[in-house]
Amino acid sequence: MNWGTAMTDDSEKMMDLETFFEAGRKDAPEFSAALMSRIIDDIDSVADQREAPEPVAKGKGLLGRILDGIGGWPAVSGMATAGIVGIVVGISPPEAISEFTSAYVNGTTDLYLVDPYDSFGFESFEG
Amino acid sequence: MPFDAYADAPDEALLALYANGDRDAARLLMHRLTPRVFRQAFRMLGDKAEAEDVAQEAMLKLWKIAPEWRQDEAKVTTWLYRIVANLCTDRLRKRRGNKSIDEVAEPEDGAASVADQMQQKTRSDALSDALNQLPDRQKQAVVLRHLDELSNPEIAKIMDVGVGAVENLIARGKRALASVLAKRKNELGYSDD
């Protein structure tokens, strides 16, 4: 090999580079036997995980089945809210509701849910 | 052990066998691929223990991806080279976070003392030192081309760039290597004749 001071040409340098590459290719490092053991352990552990049976889902109990029947926990929370509102209105009703109910129950004004003077009654008034 | 029966099977077929529960197929694949995976990592990192860790990590990724491997896609070797290249790049970046470029680049003292017994090992070490001074991508391209002896199109697939870019990286890498090694010619014991 000649790498003298006169050598400045790129192609000549590249040619010399090949001797380094050749040395690098021949100087292949050896890995330890432990590496192979570690890799074999990985092969087995990945395969074990893949082959392990899926955990079986437990059957639902009575509560679970009832919940499913009424629409799950969202439905339960809606029902609970409605129940609480009902209790509050019962204990401390808003003014508009209490006026209406007192007039209906104790007042002098007759409130009918059914029209007492239907078409037949009107004719009887008229004679 | 059905190693003989599988001797001619392509890597991709062995991987499919492993995905279907055949562990011997994976062992054969390990014997085929680990040496080159390790060599590539060692040439990139220059550290045997680290190269072994990278080799194990790359092979582990291969075992995990086996069930999803599509036979019509990349070759297993190309995929592995890419994984190793990425793992090595990550490690090199972390190293550079701890060391200055100058520290990494500086060749070891004492190289001059072996000037009279220039042997293959010395050249190989000098090459390794010089490679460590290249930017990661240039180093990767040069190692794959000139040490692992892959074709440019294959390197392009591994590095996820065009063939032209690979040629460019290799050319620049080699120029840089030649320049680094030329500076050390006295240490390496080259004479004018």
Side-chain angles (χ1 to χ4, degrees):
Chain A
M1 172 170 294
N2 185 337
W3 258 24
T5 48
M7 198 274 297
T8 53
D9 179 57
D10 266 3
S11 62
E12 208 173 332
K13 279 184 185 173
M14 293 301 175
M15 219 166 62
D16 286 331
L17 215 46
E18 184 48 40
T19 63
F20 284 88
F21 290 140
E22 196 184 334
R25 284 193 294 270
K26 285 181 181 164
D27 186 28
E30 290 294 322
F31 50 83
S32 66
L35 172 62
M36 290 306 221
S37 303
R38 279 154 56 190
I39 294 176
I40 288 173
D41 287 348
D42 287 343
I43 288 172
D44 289 335
S45 99
V46 171
D48 286 344
Q49 281 172 22
R50 200 176 297 141
E51 289 161 13
E54 292 284 321
V56 180
K58 283 184 182 173
K60 288 187 176 174
L62 180 62
L63 180 62
R65 290 202 298 272
I66 292 171
L67 276 176
D68 283 350
I70 60 172
W73 284 108
V76 172
S77 66
M79 285 166 61
T81 307
I84 291 166
V85 169
I87 291 168
V88 170
V89 168
I91 293 169
S92 170
E95 201 175 324
I97 292 179
S98 51
E99 276 176 12
F100 174 79
T101 49
S102 63
Y104 183 68
V105 176
N106 305 318
T108 53
T109 310
D110 290 334
L111 298 170
Y112 295 96
L113 296 175
V114 178
D115 182 6
Y117 302 110
D118 58 5
S119 55
F120 175 75
F122 182 74
E123 283 166 7
S124 68
F125 271 115
E126 293 294 313
Chain B
M1 192 176 285
F3 271 21
D4 291 341
Y6 293 161
D8 296 329
D11 297 340
E12 294 72 25
L14 292 176
L15 194 60
L17 284 167
Y18 174 62
N20 289 322
D22 188 337
R23 300 179 189 204
D24 287 335
R27 287 195 174 89
L28 178 56
L29 208 47
M30 171 191 79
H31 284 290
R32 270 190 202 172
L33 302 175
T34 304
R36 71 173 90 174
V37 165
F38 169 76
R39 271 200 307 271
Q40 185 197 359
F42 180 80
R43 283 165 181 156
M44 286 294 292
L45 299 169
D47 181 281
K48 190 176 163 182
E50 264 198 293
E52 289 194 349
D53 287 347
V54 165
Q56 185 188 4
E57 207 177 329
M59 296 304 283
L60 178 59
K61 284 178 187 287
L62 182 65
W63 311 137
K64 285 184 174 171
I65 205 172
E68 288 104 55
W69 190 268
R70 283 157 61 178
Q71 297 294 318
D72 53 344
E73 281 196 354
K75 285 168 67 181
V76 168
T77 47
T78 305
W79 183 88
L80 263 179
Y81 273 120
R82 188 182 303 162
I83 294 293
V84 171
N86 290 340
L87 290 172
C88 290
T89 303
D90 289 346
R91 283 175 184 252
L92 289 169
R93 279 191 191 137
K94 277 181 197 157
R95 269 192 211 170
R96 294 209 170 117
N98 300 329
K99 284 182 178 178
S100 74
I101 295 290
D102 289 343
E103 273 179 283
V104 174
E106 197 61 42
E108 281 179 21
D109 287 342
S113 67
V114 295
D116 295 334
Q117 37 183 312
M118 178 65 183
Q119 298 290 327
Q120 191 168 284
K121 176 75 177 144
T122 312
R123 284 183 197 160
S124 172
D125 290 347
L127 176 67
S128 182
D129 287 341
L131 280 169
N132 282 335
Q133 298 183 48
L134 299 187
D136 292 343
R137 303 282 285 173
Q138 286 180 26
K139 179 179 176 179
Q140 214 173 85
V142 170
V143 165
L144 291 172
R145 182 74 189 92
H146 290 284
L147 296 178
D148 290 317
E149 297 183 288
L150 301 183
S151 68
N152 286 353
E154 198 167 0
I155 298 169
K157 279 186 197 160
I158 292 165
M159 297 184 71
D160 207 17
V161 293
V163 174
V166 169
E167 287 167 357
N168 191 0
L169 283 168
I170 292 171
R172 282 190 287 148
K174 285 172 74 177
R175 269 200 300 276
L177 276 183
S179 162
V180 170
L181 290 169
K183 283 178 198 161
R184 297 183 60 193
K185 65 180 186 294
N186 291 331
E187 293 173 53
L188 295 171
Y190 290 106
S191 63
D192 288 352
D193 47 40

